[in-house]
Amino acid sequence: MALKRLYNWRIQCTAQQLQGFETALAPVFDDTIRQQILKTCYNSSYHCALLSKNTLLKAIQFSKQHDTSVIPTTGEHLVQELAKHNGDIASEDLKTEFNAALLTLKARGIIFEQDSHYHLPADFILLLNRFREVNTWFSLCHKFPKKLLQQIIPDDIDFITARSDEPSHNAMAAWLACEGFKSHEPLRKTLDDKDWELLHHLDMYGDIHSFKTLSTFCGDAKHAMKIPGQPEPASELQGALERHIPERLQKLCLMGFIGFLNCKGRDKSIKIVMSAEGGYRLLPYWDTVRTDIADMEKESWAASKCKIGTASPWLHDHDLWRLWITLHFMPLRKTRNGDLRKLDVKKILSLLKFDTAEVIEIYSSALVYCGFLTESPTALTPASIDWTDWLKRQRRLIMPTDHNKPSQQKMLTRLISELPVDTWLEIDKVVSWLKTKAGHTLAGLSWHGLFMQRQAVNLHHLNKSDRYIYLPPLYHAVIRNELPSLPSPGWLGTEGSAITTGFITATGCIQLSPEFSHKKLKTLINFCTLTGIGHMIELRLNSKVLMQMGTDKKQLMACKRILESIQSPLPQPVCYLFDKQMKQRPMARIEATSLLVRLHDPVDIDTLFQLGFPLRQPFPDLPDIILLEDGLDAHSFILACQEAGIALEIGSPPKCWVEGFASVLEWIKEPVQRSGQWLEICYQKQRNVQATQVTARIERNFSGGSSNFSGLEIRIFNKTARGYSSLKDPLYLESKHIIHLRILNTSEIISSGLDQLS
Amino acid sequence: MTYHPERPLIVQGDHSLLLETHNPQFNAARDAISPFAELEKSPEHIHSYRLNPLSLWNAAAAGHSLEEAETALHDYSKYAIPENVLEEMRHTFARYGQLILTKDDEQTLRLTISDPFIAAQVAKEKSLIDKIRQQIADDTFLIDPAQRGVLKHALIKLGFPVDDQAGFRDAGKFNLSLRSQTASDAQPLKLRDYQHKAVESFVASGSHGVIVLACGAGKTIVGMATMARIGMTTLIITPNTAAAHQWHAELLDKTNIDAIDLGEFTSSRKEILPVTIATYQMLTYRSRKDGDMPNMDLITKHDWGLIIFDEVHVLPAPVFRAVSEIQARRRLGLTATLIREDGLEKDVFSLIGPKRYDLPWRELEQSGHIAEAHCVEIRVPMSKDDHFAHAIADDKRKAYRIAAENKVKDTVAQSLIEKHDGEGILVIGQYIKQLERIAATLGAPVITGRMSSKERERLYDAFRAGDIRLLVVSKVANYAIDLPDASIAIQISGAFGSRQEEAQRLGRILRPKGGPAYFYTLVSDDSEELKFAINRQRFLAEQGYDYLIEDWGE
């Protein structure tokens, strides 16, 4: 474990950062320590720096107790901690210098200040991948005194791993390992003197022959791994070993060559591991990787169980499904500012019993992101569920497309798929591990961004402090390109085998199982209202809508057929409802009020009857009270009375409403040019939106052969303190949108000043 | 995804349980969940239950464990059980037993709270201060016996169920037993299986609670069987005198009680005997509007071993208050429809006791214990005059009244009566004028609240005897009137959208008679009445009854 910690404390940064770092360190550390800082460059963008063992140890001690990515702004705390391990460092001068160094680091952008703490940038500390380890070791042995190397290799090392495509690197790794094992007491006991001597020989003189032999061996071994149908890799390696290495050195070399032979085709790779007895054993690569990961999970990455701070919306996939279903039946519109309309949100909240409106925002964002909702400037509307598209979008979220090279994508996929799921992980450590593994292949990738950005739609959870992540099993499924199997049964409705039957009660309630076919559900939105959704989808027949459909018999029958496909036979009351609508007839004009008139002079009654209007005297004891039959035009009646000199007392002005969808349709179909007529009109364009009653002028009236094309184009006039003002845009209304209307009479138009409007 | 399509149960996140009735595992699942889930609705296809704190605490009180409840859900659930439901169940179960009420002596009860946080909260809770006599330790409180009910009620409201181990006050012994055959006509008499279960669950769960059984399912017998089990002096409170007399007759007919032990506390007689029958009206009587209710002492001051509240859903508010003072007595509530439009059914649970037994009406119908009933809603057109008056009515209430009193209904009712000639027919309505009018048209006697009890009973008796086959009745006959021969009910008007009234009226014709019963509701088409009809039918629809609709306008 010391080795892992040691690696954790290697600092990798850009050349510019490294330079700044060195400069910053200069006043803090004395020359000896500073000299121990490694500077090796392997490509144009990355540099490695390795602090000395002592410095590292101090830092390790500190890291045990503190958040390694956060340094108190004063530096005081860090200084105190370091002082516990080295009295010299505790001097006041050093403190001052240290603070100065921190400020310099800050000025150079190596660290940044936030919430009274200095933070290291997300990619500042890296766990080196094994390839880089080899390179680091390789350069190490050339540039630094061997004593220093001995210092660096910890005493409690179990094995060293190394892998590279370059056999020489592996050989060097073996050599370095020997360096390490020279101080390894158990190993010492397993070697005879000659081997021990050879080991030292290799060490002291850099025996070129041995070096070459090792290189050849590595190359052969690698080649052996590539040949299909060959014996077990381990025995092949043994064979290669026997061919190239003197017998007395074989054991030693194998012990020295502890690490990976990084042959392409990982399944054939092997790892040589020191056994406790000082021998060796060969393990297939993946076993060792798994062992590695399991170890790291347990010992390094795994965090204590955290409370979720920012949950993935997919944790609540059942609620996502509920919202998605709900939005089929209820509108979720947006304001001009792009916010969700509060009224819509409130209605949805009360139905779904979510705690806050924020939940709807989060869920709707997730649904929009995955393509389940379509976002327009005015509203969010449900779209079809396409799991392949969902998978693609989620993969894009996990693996950004700024690394388009297949090799990069492949590596990223491989690395991410190695992350343990169903447990809490420390982000920094995961990122370090990923960086180490990826090396320069994925240079420039914002690793923290993988876990921190777009969290609102991501699959994993973050804890409250954003330092830990939880990857659900679904995360792995996405990486493996597997279509998801979400816990909520509602998603079964997307499948072709989804059920299409449900229950319909006599009171018009429709109960559908969660796995009810979504396709079928979409047909129900036209005439049903959602009354509840838990697992069961509960709908109620919307009798108003069915009444509207009364003018379109085909549509009405289609609705009935849909219901019958859910449950057949339908309960009798539901059939009755349909039958009644099928018989819906236009009622011409209905005078809802003011049909009652009183004659000023009862003797006029005879004259009145002569006018030919169908009249009744409803109250035998009050013959002067006259009731007009239904369907009569009250205005014509009043006009006729005036012309005949009959004085009437009218309780309230007659208002002849054209009411009911069938009546409205008939009225519209009348072959009359209505442009310019003033109306009081009540309409409802969308379900679940309150009906609106306005004063309006007819711009045009349409009456096509089919009822679908019958309607009005009106201009609405709103009443203000200064009179009426028109809305800019005309409104098109189909007959089915109109609940009732009436033509304003001349006196109304004049008294309200509408005649003055152009 | 956990998915077992063959299972019958759906557990939803809002703590409701939906049980598919057509599933082969339905019966087993129902038996498994019913101890801890409350039946809410039992329509044809899917019965809905609810897990609520009260139902879970009652299960805990009855000795059921959390594991049992969890196992039942796991065994029968189609889908994975929402985690919040399980968590809530664990939390709720854990609450039970934290507060224990015991009896120190006749004057003092002791409330012991094992959870120190709950104890601290109880000690500081303002609404409890006047209900606690003294706090003698952090976790111990002394309580006056008179506060037993109100304290428990208040604690329940706070979410703290009390394990009441203070016991009941044992009153004078009074043994009676059910006869093996009725005294009147020597018919064999034996408790039905469900009646037996109802009595057992009441007694087993502490002898306080409510039994819900459909009209005609024999609640009175359940009451009498309970009296026999308890074996103590009993007060029976009924909604009206006619019902009181029915109890009186039933007790004499079906138990071995001696008439001299059976008293009546009504306007005509004021006897207090080992078994006494009173009415809610008598108990709440007061001479002045703001005066005391002296008769309430019958509940609070007398030592009854058992008090039976017949038709407990109509319990008046003053009786609620009195009941809170008699928590040391065994209390049995009987009802067919534990629904109140005022939403006070929860108070019934907390003061009388929780629901101990409930059986869907349709199940009783299937087993032949109540009549097979057909509900028909007849849409009746309004006359032109009525339609006009309805259209110009000042407000909806007036419009409703006009529609309800629609004269065309008279003709329709007459046709229905002709159709069912010879059967026991009740014409039931809300408005006296309308009832008198239709009674005059039909030549039938009319029973209203204005009529003396004696005359009413005479007419009921004549109907039972078959001397009269048609009765026009007002809401006085809505409940607690047993008219075994009635098989046709024609409802010509009713209170605005009252579910309870609808169900109770149907209940008048549910006594099994060998043939089906018909419940006609006449509703004016295109009127305000129609809007209320849907609400009226809700309870029965939830019990699985379908309403056929007939249009008589054509």
Side-chain angles (χ1 to χ4, degrees):
Chain A
M1 290 318 297
L3 183 65
K4 282 174 187 162
R5 283 194 219 107
L6 182 118
Y7 289 163
N8 284 342
W9 274 88
R10 288 185 185 166
I11 297 165
Q12 183 172 335
C13 52
T14 63
Q16 194 182 2
Q17 284 173 329
L18 185 65
Q19 194 184 353
F21 189 55
E22 285 171 14
T23 314
L25 289 175
V28 183
F29 299 105
D30 62 30
D31 285 343
T32 320
I33 296 175
R34 213 148 27 93
Q35 284 298 317
Q36 292 172 3
I37 295 174
L38 303 178
K39 292 179 288 180
T40 47
C41 305
Y42 292 101
N43 59 45
S44 58
S45 60
Y46 276 84
H47 297 252
C48 286
L50 186 62
L51 300 181
S52 74
K53 185 181 179 185
N54 286 339
T55 312
L56 285 170
L57 284 174
K58 286 171 199 164
I60 289 164
Q61 290 295 336
F62 176 71
S63 75
K64 280 180 183 172
Q65 296 159 28
H66 296 89
D67 183 343
T68 53
S69 68
V70 180
I71 304 164
T73 48
T74 60
E76 183 72 22
H77 201 68
L78 181 62
V79 170
Q80 285 172 5
E81 287 302 321
L82 290 172
K84 288 179 185 172
H85 307 288
N86 185 339
D88 297 336
I89 211 168
S91 72
E92 281 303 312
D93 289 343
L94 192 57
K95 281 184 196 172
T96 312
E97 281 178 8
F98 195 83
N99 278 329
L102 287 172
L103 289 173
T104 313
L105 287 170
K106 185 186 163 195
R108 289 180 181 276
I110 295 169
I111 59 176
F112 63 95
E113 190 177 2
Q114 192 182 339
D115 305 325
S116 307
H117 283 76
Y118 285 122
H119 296 253
L120 295 173
D123 60 350
F124 194 70
I125 298 177
L126 279 182
L127 183 68
L128 297 177
N129 75 346
R130 290 194 168 93
F131 173 69
R132 196 163 293 283
E133 284 160 28
V134 174
N135 290 339
T136 308
W137 290 97
F138 186 56
S139 60
L140 200 71
C141 65
H142 284 296
K143 295 198 174 188
F144 291 89
K146 295 189 177 53
K147 282 186 181 175
L148 177 62
L149 289 176
Q150 285 170 7
Q151 270 190 313
I152 291 172
I153 296 170
D155 295 335
D156 57 348
I157 190 168
D158 292 326
F159 58 84
I160 301 167
T161 58
R163 64 193 169 113
S164 167
D165 284 339
E166 279 300 313
S168 60
H169 289 179
N170 287 324
M172 187 52 68
W175 179 85
L176 282 163
C178 294
E179 280 290 313
F181 285 126
K182 283 191 300 185
S183 58
H184 198 273
E185 274 309 305
L187 178 65
R188 172 70 185 88
K189 288 173 192 166
T190 65
L191 296 173
D192 59 25
D193 289 339
K194 281 183 182 174
D195 285 344
W196 188 244
E197 192 183 316
L198 187 66
L199 186 63
H200 276 271
H201 176 77
L202 198 67
D203 169 29
M204 298 304 291
Y205 305 105
D207 185 326
I208 196 65
H209 173 75
S210 302
F211 190 84
K212 278 183 181 168
T213 307
L214 273 170
S215 292
T216 316
F217 156 66
C218 290
D220 274 21
K222 186 176 167 187
H223 178 69
M225 296 306 124
K226 283 180 184 170
I227 301 168
Q230 290 294 306
E232 282 296 307
S235 56
E236 276 300 310
L237 178 65
Q238 188 71 41
L241 204 60
E242 284 167 4
R243 280 196 298 277
H244 297 289
I245 313 287
E247 193 181 352
R248 62 192 184 89
L249 267 179
Q250 283 176 17
K251 187 179 177 185
L252 176 65
C253 285
L254 272 174
M255 283 189 292
F257 188 80
I258 290 173
F260 291 119
L261 284 173
N262 186 28
C263 301
K264 286 179 184 171
R266 274 178 259 129
D267 54 337
K268 289 185 177 176
S269 299
I270 57 161
K271 182 181 178 182
I272 305 168
V273 183
M274 270 288 290
S275 69
E277 300 77 33
Y280 59 87
R281 60 198 169 96
L282 307 174
L283 298 176
Y285 173 84
W286 276 116
D287 285 348
T288 61
V289 168
R290 273 197 285 275
T291 312
D292 272 2
I293 289 176
D295 286 348
M296 293 185 92
E297 265 178 55
K298 285 173 195 162
E299 298 166 20
S300 182
W301 293 353
S304 310
K305 197 177 176 184
C306 296
K307 273 195 176 178
I308 296 175
T310 315
S312 161
W314 293 97
L315 176 66
H316 308 284
D317 72 305
H318 182 62
D319 283 337
L320 283 176
W321 172 77
R322 289 173 69 216
L323 179 63
W324 184 76
I325 294 286
T326 301
L327 293 187
H328 284 76
F329 296 90
M330 297 171 84
L332 183 54
R333 290 162 297 172
K334 290 159 73 177
T335 63
R336 285 180 185 170
N337 299 332
D339 301 329
L340 298 177
R341 272 186 190 272
K342 280 183 185 169
L343 188 67
D344 292 349
V345 169
K346 203 173 162 186
K347 283 181 185 172
I348 295 169
L349 269 182
S350 90
L351 182 85
L352 296 178
K353 296 187 174 63
F354 290 160
D355 293 336
T356 59
E358 201 188 352
V359 178
I360 290 182
E361 285 173 23
I362 291 168
Y363 290 171
S364 57
S365 302
L367 291 170
V368 167
Y369 176 79
C370 67
F372 291 3
L373 288 183
T374 309
E375 188 171 26
S376 75
T378 53
L380 301 179
T381 45
S384 297
I385 289 180
D386 180 349
W387 289 115
T388 315
D389 183 50
W390 180 91
L391 191 61
K392 206 192 295 179
R393 288 171 188 245
Q394 294 300 336
R395 280 177 66 83
R396 200 182 304 150
L397 197 64
I398 295 171
M399 293 178 294
T401 49
D402 47 351
H403 291 271
N404 280 327
K405 284 184 189 168
S407 61
Q408 290 176 324
Q409 281 295 320
K410 204 174 167 189
M411 169 171 267
L412 190 57
T413 307
R414 182 175 63 77
L415 290 179
I416 292 178
S417 67
E418 285 180 18
L419 297 177
V421 292
D422 206 17
T423 184
W424 282 96
L425 307 171
E426 197 173 331
I427 293 179
D428 287 344
K429 288 180 180 172
V430 169
V431 166
S432 298
W433 183 83
L434 287 169
K435 279 184 178 176
T436 311
K437 285 262 190 177
H440 65 278
T441 312
L442 291 167
L445 176 66
S446 170
W447 291 98
H448 271 82
L450 290 182
F451 304 110
M452 307 292 285
Q453 289 167 4
R454 309 207 64 179
Q455 180 53 33
V457 292
N458 226 321
L459 283 178
H460 63 262
H461 318 310
L462 282 176
N463 81 325
K464 206 174 177 184
S465 68
D466 289 355
R467 289 180 56 205
Y468 303 99
I469 48 167
Y470 175 92
L471 305 182
L474 188 59
Y475 198 86
H476 261 189
V478 169
I479 299 293
R480 287 195 298 267
N481 232 347
E482 290 169 2
L483 289 179
S485 171
L486 295 164
S488 172
W491 305 113
L492 290 173
T494 50
E495 293 180 7
S497 57
I499 63 168
T500 55
T501 54
F503 304 113
I504 301 174
T505 70
T507 49
C509 291
I510 302 171
Q511 293 172 305
L512 306 171
S513 295
E515 62 267 40
F516 185 78
S517 167
H518 292 166
K519 276 184 193 167
K520 193 126 196 175
L521 194 66
K522 283 174 188 167
T523 60
L524 294 170
I525 61 176
N526 297 320
F527 55 96
C528 294
T529 311
L530 184 69
T531 54
I533 176 163
H535 277 76
M536 204 62 114
I537 305 166
E538 291 176 55
L539 308 174
R540 181 178 286 281
L541 279 179
N542 189 331
S543 53
K544 257 189 189 175
V545 174
L546 292 180
M547 277 171 69
Q548 280 181 335
M549 286 181 184
T551 57
D552 186 348
K553 307 282 185 290
K554 277 186 185 170
Q555 201 182 358
L556 198 63
M557 284 312 292
C559 292
K560 195 179 177 192
R561 278 196 295 273
I562 290 165
L563 291 178
E564 281 170 338
S565 70
I566 292 171
Q567 180 186 302
S568 185
L570 288 175
Q572 187 269 348
V574 176
C575 289
Y576 173 84
L577 188 64
F578 276 94
D579 292 346
K580 194 169 182 183
Q581 298 315 317
M582 291 295 286
K583 291 173 191 166
Q584 196 182 98
R585 290 186 305 267
M587 289 182 285
R589 297 176 193 172
I590 295 174
E591 289 76 9
T593 57
S594 310
L595 297 173
L596 206 62
V597 294
R598 182 188 287 265
L599 295 175
H600 272 261
D601 188 349
V603 295
D604 285 339
I605 188 73
D606 294 332
T607 319
L608 195 63
F609 275 116
Q610 285 168 13
L611 292 176
F613 283 93
L615 306 171
R616 288 197 302 128
Q617 291 161 292
F619 308 110
D621 52 336
L622 297 168
D624 53 337
I625 303 280
I626 305 297
L627 179 68
L628 278 76
E629 291 289 350
D630 288 355
L632 199 88
D633 185 338
H635 289 290
S636 306
F637 170 71
I638 293 162
L639 198 64
C641 287
Q642 280 173 349
E643 285 170 354
I646 301 169
L648 298 173
E649 187 186 321
I650 300 163
S652 59
K655 291 183 177 178
C656 306
W657 289 99
V658 179
E659 194 162 325
F661 301 101
S663 304
V664 169
L665 181 64
E666 284 297 308
W667 183 84
I668 289 176
K669 280 182 173 176
E670 282 175 17
V672 178
Q673 180 57 253
R674 297 195 181 276
S675 300
Q677 285 187 341
W678 288 91
L679 290 172
E680 194 174 348
I681 186 167
C682 180
Y683 67 91
Q684 188 181 26
K685 279 201 87 167
Q686 283 178 314
R687 283 184 301 114
N688 304 313
V689 176
Q690 211 168 5
T692 313
Q693 185 149 329
V694 292
T695 302
R697 191 179 60 209
I698 298 177
E699 301 290 309
R700 285 192 295 168
N701 58 317
F702 307 91
S703 180
S706 154
S707 59
N708 293 338
F709 298 98
S710 298
L712 299 174
E713 186 180 302
I714 60 167
R715 185 170 297 278
I716 295 171
F717 286 78
N718 284 335
K719 195 170 188 180
T720 65
R722 293 177 192 166
Y724 282 91
S725 65
S726 74
L727 291 188
K728 194 179 167 187
D729 297 322
L731 178 72
Y732 178 75
L733 295 175
E734 289 179 43
S735 62
K736 65 180 181 184
H737 297 146
I738 301 167
I739 295 168
H740 58 241
L741 61 81
R742 71 181 184 91
I743 302 291
L744 299 186
N745 62 44
T746 313
S747 61
E748 283 179 290
I749 296 169
I750 294 169
S751 64
S752 55
L754 290 169
D755 58 327
Q756 303 297 318
L757 301 169
S758 58
Chain B
M1 183 190 300
T2 318
Y3 180 39
H4 303 281
E6 74 286 359
R7 293 183 186 172
L9 186 66
I10 297 174
V11 184
Q12 301 199 118
D14 64 352
H15 301 88
S16 59
L17 312 180
L18 306 174
L19 189 58
E20 290 175 0
T21 58
H22 311 302
N23 191 292
Q25 297 183 51
F26 166 73
N27 286 330
R30 182 198 55 197
D31 292 346
I33 64 171
S34 50
F36 57 91
E38 189 188 334
L39 177 66
E40 278 192 330
K41 300 174 195 170
S42 48
E44 187 185 355
H45 309 295
I46 294 175
H47 288 185
S48 67
Y49 290 76
R50 184 164 293 278
L51 295 168
N52 58 44
L54 215 55
S55 70
L56 292 170
W57 291 332
N58 288 335
H64 297 283
S65 68
L66 171 66
E67 289 69 29
E68 259 178 75
E70 285 182 335
T71 306
L73 296 187
H74 283 298
D75 285 354
Y76 294 103
S77 184
K78 266 179 194 285
Y79 315 116
I81 300 165
E83 204 43 53
N84 70 312
V85 173
L86 293 172
E87 186 57 40
E88 194 68 30
M89 275 174 70
R90 286 170 203 140
H91 179 77
T92 308
F93 256 93
R95 276 276 171 99
Y96 191 81
Q98 301 276 4
L99 293 84
I100 297 172
L101 195 67
T102 51
K103 184 159 78 174
D104 277 7
D105 53 48
E106 289 304 321
Q107 305 305 320
T108 307
L109 301 174
R110 178 182 293 258
L111 179 68
T112 312
I113 303 176
S114 52
D115 184 324
F117 297 104
I118 298 176
Q121 194 177 337
V122 167
K124 285 196 170 181
E125 178 58 42
K126 281 181 187 170
S127 65
L128 298 175
I129 288 172
D130 58 338
K131 298 168 185 74
I132 293 171
R133 186 201 297 166
Q134 190 189 350
Q135 181 174 12
I136 55 170
D138 284 350
D139 62 347
T140 313
F141 304 82
L142 298 183
I143 313 292
D144 286 332
Q147 298 295 332
R148 182 171 167 181
V150 282
L151 177 74
K152 279 164 59 180
H153 189 51
L155 283 167
I156 285 261
K157 277 190 173 175
L158 292 170
F160 304 133
V162 177
D163 181 2
D164 189 345
Q165 299 176 1
F168 295 104
R169 195 184 295 174
D170 284 342
K173 296 273 180 206
F174 182 77
N175 291 315
L176 61 79
S177 56
L178 289 178
R179 295 175 187 273
S180 57
Q181 55 183 26
T182 56
S184 57
D185 52 5
Q187 290 292 316
L189 182 65
K190 192 174 174 245
L191 276 187
R192 293 168 186 161
D193 187 41
Y194 65 86
Q195 289 169 329
H196 182 73
K197 278 185 187 169
V199 175
E200 286 310 310
S201 52
F202 172 79
V203 176
S205 54
S207 300
H208 65 292
V210 178
I211 290 171
V212 182
L213 282 175
C215 305
K219 289 189 294 295
T220 311
I221 291 189
V222 169
M224 290 186 288
T226 308
M227 290 164 67
R229 277 295 305 273
I230 301 292
M232 290 182 196
T233 55
T234 302
L235 172 66
I236 301 161
I237 315 173
T238 66
N240 51 44
T241 310
H245 290 168
Q246 269 176 209
W247 266 93
H248 193 278
E250 286 285 296
L251 279 162
L252 291 174
D253 188 42
K254 295 188 171 67
T255 70
N256 63 352
I257 191 169
D258 201 318
I260 57 165
D261 292 324
L262 187 55
E264 193 179 299
F265 197 88
T266 57
S267 52
S268 52
R269 292 159 67 187
K270 305 263 182 313
E271 303 158 328
I272 300 176
L273 294 171
V275 173
T276 300
I277 306 167
T279 64
Y280 295 122
Q281 204 177 358
M282 270 308 289
L283 294 175
T284 53
Y285 168 79
R286 50 184 159 196
S287 52
R288 288 196 328 269
K289 199 177 174 185
D290 54 350
D292 292 335
M293 296 178 190
N295 295 338
M296 205 64 85
D297 288 355
L298 187 66
I299 290 183
T300 54
K301 300 283 191 291
H302 284 265
D303 266 350
W304 299 107
L306 172 68
I307 301 179
I308 296 176
F309 299 88
D310 192 20
E311 307 292 354
V312 70
H313 57 274
V314 295
L315 210 63
V319 180
F320 268 122
R321 286 193 287 275
V323 171
S324 68
E325 296 175 27
I326 54 157
Q327 294 293 305
R329 304 214 175 89
R330 293 168 186 82
R331 308 170 298 280
L332 170 63
L334 296 172
T335 182
T337 52
L338 195 48
I339 41 168
R340 290 177 68 116
E341 305 304 336
D342 59 8
L344 286 179
E345 54 265 37
K346 280 184 187 165
D347 287 0
V348 172
F349 285 138
S350 60
L351 291 174
I352 304 295
K355 186 159 67 177
R356 301 299 185 193
Y357 193 78
D358 190 0
L359 202 56
W361 291 31
R362 281 296 206 187
E363 278 184 41
L364 285 164
E365 185 184 297
Q366 281 158 13
S367 58
H369 291 120
I370 60 173
E372 179 192 342
H374 299 283
C375 303
V376 183
E377 178 188 304
I378 298 179
R379 303 270 174 98
V380 182
M382 279 192 279
S383 69
K384 279 193 180 295
D385 290 354
D386 281 345
H387 210 156
F388 174 68
H390 179 268
I392 61 166
D394 295 340
D395 56 48
K396 289 186 175 179
R397 184 173 279 269
K398 281 184 185 166
Y400 176 83
R401 174 91 186 244
I402 291 164
E405 293 189 298
N406 176 8
K407 293 182 196 71
V408 183
K409 288 182 180 179
D410 299 8
T411 320
V412 175
Q414 202 156 12
S415 301
L416 291 170
I417 289 161
E418 284 166 15
K419 182 181 170 189
H420 294 284
D421 187 32
E423 295 180 61
I425 301 173
L426 299 173
V427 175
I428 312 173
Q430 173 84 357
Y431 304 106
I432 306 299
K433 209 171 144 188
Q434 180 192 25
L435 291 170
E436 287 173 344
R437 186 187 72 213
I438 202 166
T441 310
L442 301 171
V446 59
I447 296 175
T448 68
R450 292 175 192 164
M451 186 179 272
S452 69
S453 301
K454 201 173 171 185
E455 181 60 10
R456 264 188 256 172
E457 282 183 48
R458 187 189 67 77
L459 289 170
Y460 287 141
D461 286 342
F463 188 87
R464 286 181 197 118
D467 299 336
I468 299 173
R469 303 306 289 160
L470 173 63
L471 270 183
V472 178
V473 291
S474 74
K475 62 181 181 184
V476 294
N478 274 0
Y479 39 71
I481 301 300
D482 187 20
L483 300 168
D485 285 342
S487 59
I488 309 295
I490 302 170
Q491 182 178 221
I492 54 170
S493 57
F496 300 94
S498 169
R499 294 168 294 164
Q500 188 201 95
E501 185 179 76
E502 186 89 348
Q504 289 289 343
R505 284 178 173 178
L506 171 66
R508 296 313 100 214
I509 54 171
L510 286 183
R511 285 251 179 244
K513 291 162 283 284
Y518 288 90
F519 182 58
Y520 294 102
T521 304
L522 311 189
V523 184
S524 294
D525 206 358
D526 297 324
S527 74
E528 283 299 309
E529 199 182 23
L530 201 56
K531 294 177 187 170
F532 287 104
I534 293 168
N535 194 53
R536 288 181 65 88
Q537 295 165 2
R538 235 174 62 208
F539 175 80
L540 289 177
E542 286 167 3
Q543 290 289 341
Y545 285 95
D546 285 350
Y547 279 80
L548 297 179
I549 300 179
E550 289 183 13
D551 200 335
W552 284 43
E554 294 168 2

